[in-house]
Amino acid sequence: MSTKKKKTGKTTLKDMKYIFVVGGVMSGVGKGVTAASIGQILQSRGYRVSAVKMDPYINIDAGTMNPIEHGEVFVTEDGDETDQDIGNYERFLNTNIYKVNYMTTGRVYESVISKERNLEYKGKCVQVVPHIPLEIIARINKAAEKAKAEIMIIEIGGTVGEYENLLFLEAARILKLYHPKDVLTVMVSYLPIPNMIGEMKTKPTQHAVRNLQGAGIQPDLIVARSEKPLDNHRKEKLAINCNVAVEDVISAPDAASIYDIPLNFEKDNISRRILEKLNLSIRFKDVKNEAWKKMVSAIRNPKSKTTIGIVGKYFSTGDFSLSDSYISVIEAVKHAGAENRTKVELVWINAEDVEKEGVKILKGLDGIIVPQGWGGRGSEGKIATIKYCREKKVPYFGLCYGMQMAVIEFARHVAGLKDANSAEVDLKTKNPVIHIMPGQAEIIKEKGYGGTIRLGGWPCKIAPGTHLAAAYAKYTKDKVISERHRHRYEFNNAYRESFEKLGLTIAGTSPDGEIVEAVEIKNHPFFIGVQFHPEYISRPLRPHPLFVEFVKVCRGE
């Protein structure tokens, strides 16, 4: 893709358009889903769209962050550990998003310092401004070039008014300064309705806009998040106090499903407003979004109900319970539910509660998922859950750690190895049926934790005649598929032959046969554990076949 150079010496990609999405009032208002929805809408208007997430953390990536505090770590095809919003971009845009599309403050500073050490600044005094913002802009352009995008959606993490994201806002300001016709800013802000007042309040958003203006940026559109739709009075009030047109205030009420959001946005003609402001033609006069509408209709109009339990441990934060730690699993189940025309009700069960109260709390579930995890906390509750599923013929789906726990359960209760465990949980176990991968012990010894585990897309050879093969066969004829990984421990092949003789089927391996990628048990409705993370590549318009098959079995088909 060619570039053009302005008289200022600043460069941008030829004909590229940029949409910055920023947040106001508080975190968690839905910037990521808003950015993804805008991208999906513009795609449906005929444009090539990609998205970038900019996180204000000093962390190089999200891999070492506590999922309870930060939410799920999403893994890209090329092995980057990113913020969960990258997952939203992939799901809404139905395309892979790569490492180049994710940046943190730490990653940007690391790059600038490295360039300074390599004399790439040719002896200049390297300063926070302009060199950090210019590095940010260069990274945005690099991501756009890789994606061959015409429009880049750029989400700035955090909330306007925070010190941490000022340099990302400065990058947006500089880009707008030199390319005023190519840059647009969308503020996503929250309009509370206090119970004691009963009226939607615009003042917090007015203050947020003034904070943004203080950073030198005027929002072009305001996406107004609230429990209820905005009325004209509130729109007019925001318009006059925030210096925007009334039609540039987009109502964003709470939605039953995040997949309703693009359709809700178009009720206020958001694509027309964006394209007009960026001086782009409307390639499709009527939004060609039929597949999306059909998927949303399937979610809204289920023919049955299915109850699935998720037994994990990353739920609690103080007195509150969150599900963001498993957001990709949640969305993959939703996609499969829509494909099966069933409403999936998720029941959150803390593995430690299973340890305390027993498996009686699992009764009544149509199926159970044990998702990813680290360390020993709650492991015995997960093993008890898996034993219950195996013995009671309850459909079971183990993801990564969930597969490893299934192997331990089989070792203890079928193979009779009472002390079997994972070396991650118990280094002294005499039967480490799950052990550390080659080379990882040395990495841990040197405390090289960040970005050193098995990450990204890796091939998996499917064993013929398995439930796994049958599930994939409906979607692909390939005997070797690609799935994303994030693990440091694996199945110990020393136990492989004996476990197979006792009835544990090795359903998938690496192409060389060395790494066990999937296990299952015959004569069971659905008992599959996978070392990989199928949830990462499930899309609303392309549900993952294993989740589709799991939900199908759970609903009784």
Side-chain angles (χ1 to χ4, degrees):
M1 187 177 290
S2 61
T3 61
K4 59 182 179 181
K5 185 169 286 188
K6 305 288 186 179
K7 292 181 181 179
T8 58
K10 309 300 177 185
T11 61
T12 186
L13 296 178
K14 185 179 180 180
D15 301 324
M16 177 58 56
K17 302 295 183 180
Y18 307 83
I19 301 174
F20 286 89
V21 178
V22 301
V25 179
M26 67 180 194
S27 61
V29 294
K31 295 190 305 298
V33 174
T34 296
S37 297
I38 290 172
Q40 196 280 329
I41 292 166
L42 295 175
Q43 260 191 349
S44 71
R45 288 292 194 182
Y47 286 90
R48 297 190 305 275
V49 181
S50 189
V52 165
K53 175 64 185 291
M54 304 194 297
D55 266 334
Y57 311 109
I58 296 295
N59 305 62
I60 298 299
D61 57 39
T64 57
M65 296 185 194
N66 187 326
I68 295 176
E69 295 179 9
H70 183 70
E72 175 189 80
V73 175
F74 185 83
V75 177
T76 61
E77 187 69 19
D78 57 351
D80 199 22
E81 294 176 291
T82 72
D83 179 82
Q84 63 186 19
D85 282 322
I86 296 292
N88 281 324
Y89 304 159
E90 288 204 358
R91 288 186 280 271
F92 277 70
L93 300 179
N94 199 22
T95 189
N96 287 343
I97 301 292
Y98 296 97
K99 180 176 182 177
V100 69
N101 293 64
Y102 181 63
M103 68 182 92
T104 63
T105 296
R107 185 169 285 182
V108 173
Y109 268 88
E110 182 184 49
S111 179
V112 169
I113 291 169
S114 176
K115 288 180 179 179
E116 183 275 324
R117 294 287 82 189
N118 295 333
L119 293 178
E120 293 182 44
Y121 292 106
K122 302 184 185 305
K124 290 182 179 179
C125 176
V126 181
Q127 298 175 286
V128 172
V129 178
H131 293 102
I132 297 297
L134 291 179
E135 173 68 17
I136 292 168
I137 293 169
R139 284 172 167 266
I140 294 169
N141 284 334
K142 188 176 180 181
E145 193 164 20
K146 181 178 177 65
K148 295 180 171 59
E150 297 170 290
I151 302 174
M152 285 299 293
I153 315 288
I154 306 118
E155 179 192 350
I156 299 179
T159 306
V160 170
E162 294 176 340
Y163 178 78
E164 288 182 308
N165 59 17
L166 275 176
L167 291 173
F168 293 120
L169 293 173
E170 183 69 359
R173 185 193 67 80
I174 291 172
L175 197 57
K176 177 79 170 181
L177 174 66
Y178 291 116
H179 310 289
K181 296 181 180 180
D182 300 327
V183 179
L184 184 148
T185 300
V186 177
M187 169 170 274
V188 185
S189 192
Y190 184 66
L191 278 69
I193 307 174
N195 289 332
M196 69 290 291
I197 298 174
E199 177 190 8
M200 186 181 292
K201 307 303 291 184
T202 65
K203 191 65 71 177
T205 294
Q206 293 178 39
H207 286 302
V209 169
R210 286 171 190 169
N211 275 330
L212 185 61
Q213 291 167 337
I217 300 173
Q218 167 62 41
D220 298 281
L221 289 94
I222 295 174
V223 172
R225 285 282 295 111
S226 191
E227 296 174 36
K228 299 178 181 179
L230 265 68
D231 56 14
N232 287 332
H233 175 67
R234 240 58 55 169
K235 285 189 175 185
E236 290 169 357
K237 199 169 184 180
L238 283 175
I240 197 167
N241 285 287
C242 299
N243 198 31
V244 298
V246 172
E247 54 265 39
D248 292 332
V249 179
I250 309 299
S251 178
D254 290 349
S257 163
I258 60 173
Y259 304 114
D260 286 317
I261 294 172
L263 305 180
N264 288 348
F265 280 175
E266 278 297 81
K267 293 177 183 177
D268 278 347
N269 299 309
I270 193 171
S271 64
R272 180 175 59 82
R273 296 301 297 165
I274 288 173
L275 294 175
E276 285 178 357
K277 289 174 181 294
L278 292 175
N279 197 28
L280 294 173
S281 61
I282 299 176
R283 292 177 179 173
F284 298 148
K285 291 184 179 179
D286 296 317
V287 175
K288 305 296 183 182
N289 225 355
E290 293 308 314
W292 194 270
K293 292 175 181 176
K294 184 179 178 181
M295 176 270 298
V296 170
S297 176
I299 293 175
R300 290 176 180 170
N301 303 292
K303 294 181 179 179
S304 61
K305 185 178 77 171
T306 307
T307 304
I308 293 175
I310 295 183
V311 180
K313 64 179 182 178
Y314 300 128
F315 296 144
S316 300
T317 172
D319 293 331
F320 299 91
S321 293
L322 302 177
S323 57
D324 275 5
S325 302
Y326 304 108
I327 193 69
S328 288
V329 177
I330 296 170
E331 297 309 314
V333 171
K334 287 181 183 177
H335 306 159
E339 184 75 6
N340 282 285
R341 297 305 295 266
T342 187
K343 179 182 179 181
V344 178
E345 290 189 356
L346 293 176
V347 179
W348 299 98
I349 301 168
N350 193 314
E352 292 174 286
D353 290 340
V354 179
E355 293 175 354
K356 296 172 186 175
E357 301 176 39
V359 295
K360 63 179 182 292
I361 64 176
L362 305 174
K363 291 182 179 179
L365 299 173
D366 297 316
I368 292 175
I369 295 172
V370 171
Q372 69 271 23
W374 302 91
R377 182 171 61 85
S379 63
E380 293 301 322
K382 294 180 181 183
I383 292 168
T385 296
I386 296 164
K387 182 174 184 289
Y388 169 82
C389 290
R390 181 177 57 81
E391 293 180 342
K392 301 296 183 182
K393 305 293 186 184
V394 175
Y396 173 73
F397 196 9
L399 307 173
C400 193
Y401 195 80
M403 186 201 92
Q404 295 175 3
M405 294 295 104
V407 171
I408 295 168
E409 191 281 324
F410 186 91
R412 289 183 184 180
H413 303 116
V414 178
L417 305 176
K418 300 301 182 183
D419 72 330
N421 216 323
S422 167
E424 181 182 10
V425 176
D426 181 7
L427 277 173
K428 296 180 180 180
T429 178
K430 293 180 181 179
N431 288 290
V433 295
I434 302 297
H435 66 168
I436 198 162
M437 299 186 76
Q440 288 292 325
E442 291 79 6
I443 291 171
I444 290 178
K445 186 177 180 180
E446 298 297 324
K447 296 186 177 181
Y449 295 107
T452 58
I453 56 180
R454 188 170 184 240
L455 291 166
W458 291 84
C460 170
K461 182 174 64 177
I462 304 171
T466 59
H467 201 160
L468 195 76
Y472 277 106
K474 298 174 184 178
Y475 296 86
T476 179
K477 294 180 180 179
D478 295 335
K479 302 302 180 186
V480 177
I481 48 90
S482 177
E483 293 284 359
R484 295 186 196 174
H485 294 68
R486 185 177 185 245
H487 65 108
R488 198 185 299 274
Y489 292 81
E490 65 176 353
F491 184 103
N492 187 340
N493 282 327
Y495 297 87
R496 185 165 164 177
E497 185 178 351
S498 62
F499 284 7
E500 285 187 279
K501 288 179 180 178
L502 290 168
L504 185 70
T505 300
I506 306 302
T509 66
S510 56
D512 61 7
E514 287 300 309
I515 299 175
V516 173
E517 293 279 13
V519 300
E520 61 181 61
I521 292 177
K522 293 181 180 179
N523 303 318
H524 194 287
F526 189 106
F527 191 103
I528 293 177
V530 294
Q531 185 59 74
F532 46 83
H533 290 267
E535 68 271 20
Y536 288 151
I537 62 172
S538 183
R539 312 267 169 83
L541 299 182
R542 198 172 68 210
H544 194 284
L546 291 183
F547 279 95
V548 172
E549 180 69 9
F550 175 65
V551 171
K552 180 181 177 181
V553 173
C554 288
R555 69 175 293 206
E557 291 189 20

